[in-house]
Amino acid sequence: MLVAKKTAKKDERIIAQTKGTFQIIGKVTGVERDKYYVDGIVEKGKNKDKEFRSMNFGIKTSDNQTIYLRMYAVEPEFVWVIDNNPDNRKKGEKAKVDKVTYEEYTDKREAWQDEARIPLDMAVNLESTDPKASSEHFVTYDAIDYLYDNLENGMTVYVKGDLKRNTYENRQGDVVASINYEPRTIKLSDKVMDESDAKFYEYAKFKEEFILTDTELNKEEQSLMVYGKTADYAENLHDAVFEINYSPEANGLIEDTTGMSEDQIKKNKEYVDEQVSMKQRMIKAFKKLKYGTLLLCEGKIINKVIVTEEEADDDDDLFADLRGSSNKVVRDYITSMRITGTESYTPEKYSEEEVMAVLDKNNVVEDIKEDDEDDDLGDLRGESSKSKKKDDFDDFDDDFLESDLPF
């Protein structure tokens, strides 16, 4: 039985809020559905009797992957407005941020937009694919209405936003962890979305902070499961699961080489071998990290539906006749946050006792050596956008044994 060794005061913060972001490009889908747009009056809670608006739609990043986005907002009382005009501040001075009433913001929004005084919530451009084109800025409550009027199925858009985790109890009484993708930027994109085009690549990325709690090697799946926790604004902790996959298929292997030259096949193999080797080194590095290490990792969002057909069983003549010419359709759902690199880490930032104290505070717990001075991340870094080197990661834990690794 694991019991917290110390209990925190309700208003004392132990674990800092962690943050996550995502970036995706794809085609808009789902605007015709019933719950695409919903508005009404909040019935309970701190926002009781206020008006709310919500939107739910998808972004199809490839033929078999769709990322579902959610927007929700109540009519605000106040709006944070930033003066984004560099002519209005001295060199090196930070942009001024003002808190104004929603009524004042609504009255002055268009004039302020022209003066580059904009709310901090959302930027939207559904008029031009030019990356330099100016965006309209909204509070989320108003952005939902604007998108309802202007967003269309089939639009190719770039979306950037916040990755929020949540924990809730479903109708069956099970505790479920979920991920919400909340847009902060939506812009038209001219990206090629035809998978038969050689220029196509899937763009679905995340970056997230989390507290490491455990790892588990799955040799059969050729992956390391990475378990952690994130902390929200209210210091609620949520389970987070990631993976580092070293299979050739997950690292760019082109299985159907029809039409490819020998040189192209060779280059693909070299690329895959390099990626697999990198992921294997990353796994060894992650296995050395101790409980409570704070990590900022980036990677790919995987939310795929793989559809295959199985031929009818000839042993069952009656069923074969009933089926006719139709084969059995099988759908395989693959969902994962696949780590490709680490941007930063703080070894043993939090103790297990501190994590347990936070869980206890929120009524969740009932029973219960670097060898490179210039790059302290080593193989944890992987494909991080700030990569400099890919040297081997030295020992963190003298008790670590590599005998359980297949490489």
Side-chain angles (χ1 to χ4, degrees):
M1 180 174 66
L2 189 58
V3 179
K5 293 184 179 179
K6 64 178 181 179
T7 302
K9 296 178 181 179
K10 190 66 180 178
D11 59 351
E12 178 185 325
R13 188 161 199 123
I14 300 172
I15 295 178
Q17 181 182 6
T18 59
K19 295 184 179 181
T21 60
F22 72 93
Q23 297 182 63
I24 57 177
I25 299 177
K27 290 188 176 182
V28 175
T29 182
V31 301
E32 77 288 351
R33 295 185 177 180
D34 291 341
K35 293 186 178 180
Y36 164 59
Y37 175 90
V38 178
D39 60 3
I41 304 298
V42 180
E43 296 182 355
K44 58 183 180 180
K46 65 178 182 180
N47 292 314
K48 187 176 185 294
D49 297 329
K50 288 186 178 181
E51 294 186 8
F52 77 86
R53 297 169 183 165
S54 70
M55 289 185 74
N56 296 275
F57 59 98
I59 302 296
K60 194 175 181 65
T61 60
S62 64
D63 287 345
N64 59 4
Q65 172 158 298
T66 302
I67 310 296
Y68 295 97
L69 310 182
R70 180 177 186 270
M71 299 175 64
Y72 175 88
V74 297
E75 183 176 1
E77 293 183 34
F78 299 97
V79 178
W80 293 99
V81 177
I82 184 171
D83 186 346
N84 217 26
N85 189 337
D87 295 334
N88 293 340
R89 59 181 182 271
K90 298 177 182 178
K91 186 177 180 181
E93 186 179 22
K94 291 184 178 180
K96 184 181 179 182
V97 179
D98 295 312
K99 182 182 180 181
V100 301
T101 65
Y102 178 61
E103 183 178 5
E104 181 183 4
Y105 162 75
T106 301
D107 290 340
K108 300 178 179 180
R109 178 186 172 276
E110 291 187 6
W112 282 356
Q113 173 91 12
D114 293 338
E115 298 170 3
R117 291 192 68 193
I118 56 178
L120 296 174
D121 291 21
M122 283 203 70
V124 181
N125 172 22
L126 299 179
E127 303 295 329
S128 171
T129 59
D130 184 352
K132 297 181 181 179
S134 60
S135 298
E136 292 231 40
H137 295 266
F138 301 92
V139 294
T140 304
Y141 183 73
D142 294 335
I144 291 173
D145 258 9
Y146 178 84
L147 292 169
Y148 176 66
D149 291 334
N150 294 279
L151 204 61
E152 298 177 2
N153 277 342
M155 281 183 169
T156 300
V157 293
Y158 163 81
V159 184
K160 181 179 180 179
D162 296 329
L163 190 159
K164 299 286 185 67
R165 292 184 181 268
N166 188 29
T167 305
Y168 65 95
E169 186 175 301
N170 64 17
R171 293 178 181 177
Q172 290 72 41
D174 299 321
V175 177
V176 179
S178 65
I179 300 176
N180 292 332
Y181 297 95
E182 301 178 2
R184 296 292 299 273
T185 298
I186 301 179
K187 297 183 179 182
L188 284 183
S189 171
D190 59 1
K191 181 182 182 298
V192 174
M193 291 304 298
D194 180 2
E195 290 194 42
S196 64
D197 193 305
K199 294 182 180 179
F200 174 81
Y201 65 94
E202 187 162 19
Y203 193 96
K205 302 179 178 181
F206 76 89
K207 183 181 291 187
E208 188 173 22
E209 288 180 302
F210 66 94
I211 302 162
L212 180 72
T213 58
D214 200 5
T215 60
E216 180 182 7
L217 185 67
N218 187 327
K219 297 179 183 179
E220 184 177 348
E221 297 294 330
Q222 296 182 282
S223 67
L224 180 77
M225 303 307 297
V226 178
Y227 301 99
K229 291 189 180 294
T230 63
D232 63 19
Y233 179 78
E235 204 178 11
N236 296 303
L237 299 185
H238 306 287
D239 290 336
V241 182
F242 307 87
E243 73 162 334
I244 304 172
N245 195 302
Y246 62 93
S247 70
E249 293 76 17
N251 286 278
L253 178 66
I254 299 175
E255 299 183 63
D256 184 2
T257 58
T258 305
M260 293 178 62
S261 67
E262 290 186 6
D263 185 55
Q264 289 173 322
I265 295 172
K266 179 182 177 182
K267 286 183 177 180
N268 176 248
K269 183 180 183 306
E270 290 173 349
Y271 171 79
V272 172
D273 289 346
E274 179 184 356
Q275 292 297 309
V276 168
S277 178
M278 181 193 301
K279 301 304 189 302
Q280 290 172 340
R281 296 196 305 271
M282 282 181 64
I283 286 174
K284 289 181 179 180
F286 265 84
K287 290 285 287 181
K288 298 173 186 178
L289 294 176
K290 292 184 178 180
Y291 185 103
T293 295
L294 180 67
L295 292 140
L296 174 59
C297 292
E298 57 192 19
K300 299 177 181 178
I301 302 170
I302 309 294
N303 192 40
K304 295 185 179 295
V305 180
I306 310 299
V307 180
T308 57
E309 289 188 355
E310 292 184 358
E311 295 183 2
D313 187 352
D314 294 336
D315 294 337
D316 189 342
D317 294 334
L318 176 60
F319 185 58
D321 290 337
L322 288 171
R323 188 194 299 275
S325 60
S326 175
N327 290 332
K328 180 182 178 182
V329 176
V330 179
R331 288 178 172 83
D332 187 17
Y333 298 90
I334 304 174
T335 302
S336 174
M337 304 296 278
R338 190 168 290 167
I339 293 174
T340 59
T342 303
E343 189 167 306
S344 66
Y345 80 103
T346 305
E348 301 178 80
K349 172 74 172 178
Y350 300 106
S351 68
E352 189 168 2
E353 287 76 15
E354 287 174 315
V355 173
M356 294 303 296
V358 173
L359 292 173
D360 189 29
K361 180 174 69 170
N362 292 313
N363 299 318
V364 175
V365 177
E366 295 177 357
D367 296 312
I368 301 204
K369 134 180 143 185
E370 299 102 5
D371 61 355
D372 187 338
E373 295 180 359
D374 295 325
D375 184 9
D376 59 357
L377 281 167
D379 288 320
L380 282 172
R381 187 181 294 281
E383 294 177 345
S384 171
S385 58
K386 293 187 177 181
S387 291
K388 296 178 181 178
K389 300 180 182 179
K390 295 183 177 64
D391 297 330
D392 288 340
F393 199 88
D394 210 348
D395 288 347
F396 266 81
D397 188 352
D398 292 336
D399 296 330
F400 170 68
L401 298 176
E402 297 187 355
S403 57
D404 64 334
L405 297 177
F407 39 80

